[in-house]
Amino acid sequence: MYRRHNECGQTIAIVAVSMVSFLAMAALAIDLTTLYVARGEIQRAADSAALAGAKAFVDSGVTSNPGNAGLQAVAQQLANSYVAGAVLQNNVSGSSPQLVSPPTLDFSLQGNPRITVNLQKTSLPVFFARIFGTTAA
């Protein structure tokens, strides 16, 4: 059997490079999965806050008289408090998200008022991106 002496140890080098590459891909997958989970959590928190704010339409009576500016103001106040309460109850990565701005109520569509809620969460934890100097996303 013919054997080359200058090829000894190449397998160890290839395995070492492969292991580092595999670990880097696994680390990236874990960090991305964490961020995707946080994205789903904040979407559910925004949906929950919007549903809570939409309850203000009924509680204020604005649905029975949508053109009444007084009822619209009451609906806005109720929506603000309902949304703030819902945001505090929904955690994203272990803590409550922040409202970007107060909820926006749109009464322009007759009989179909709308509410828009914008949330954000800063400093999401990353685990393996710290190797590259990033501590949060």
Side-chain angles (χ1 to χ4, degrees):
M1 181 154 118
Y2 180 71
R3 186 172 177 189
R4 292 186 184 177
H5 295 288
N6 61 354
E7 293 182 4
C8 292
Q10 283 186 345
T11 303
I12 293 173
I14 292 172
V15 168
V17 169
S18 299
M19 288 297 290
V20 169
S21 300
F22 178 71
L23 288 174
M25 287 186 290
L28 179 66
I30 290 170
D31 280 347
L32 285 178
T33 301
T34 302
L35 295 176
Y36 277 121
V37 167
R39 180 177 180 247
E41 288 175 342
I42 201 161
Q43 182 63 54
R44 283 187 293 279
D47 292 343
S48 172
L51 286 172
K55 186 178 181 306
F57 295 136
V58 176
D59 291 349
S60 67
V62 75
T63 53
S64 62
N65 188 4
N68 187 330
L71 291 177
Q72 289 178 0
V74 170
Q76 181 71 49
Q77 290 174 346
L78 286 174
N80 288 344
S81 64
Y82 292 171
V83 166
V87 167
L88 291 176
Q89 293 177 359
N90 290 283
N91 288 337
V92 176
S93 294
S95 62
S96 297
Q98 297 85 27
L99 274 168
V100 175
S101 61
T104 305
L105 277 62
D106 180 12
F107 298 101
S108 64
L109 296 171
Q110 189 66 24
N112 192 17
R114 294 184 183 183
I115 185 168
T116 303
V117 177
N118 291 319
L119 300 177
Q120 72 177 1
K121 177 68 176 163
T122 57
S123 301
L124 290 170
V126 290
F127 304 102
F128 294 101
R130 294 179 186 159
I131 295 169
F132 303 110
T134 303
T135 58

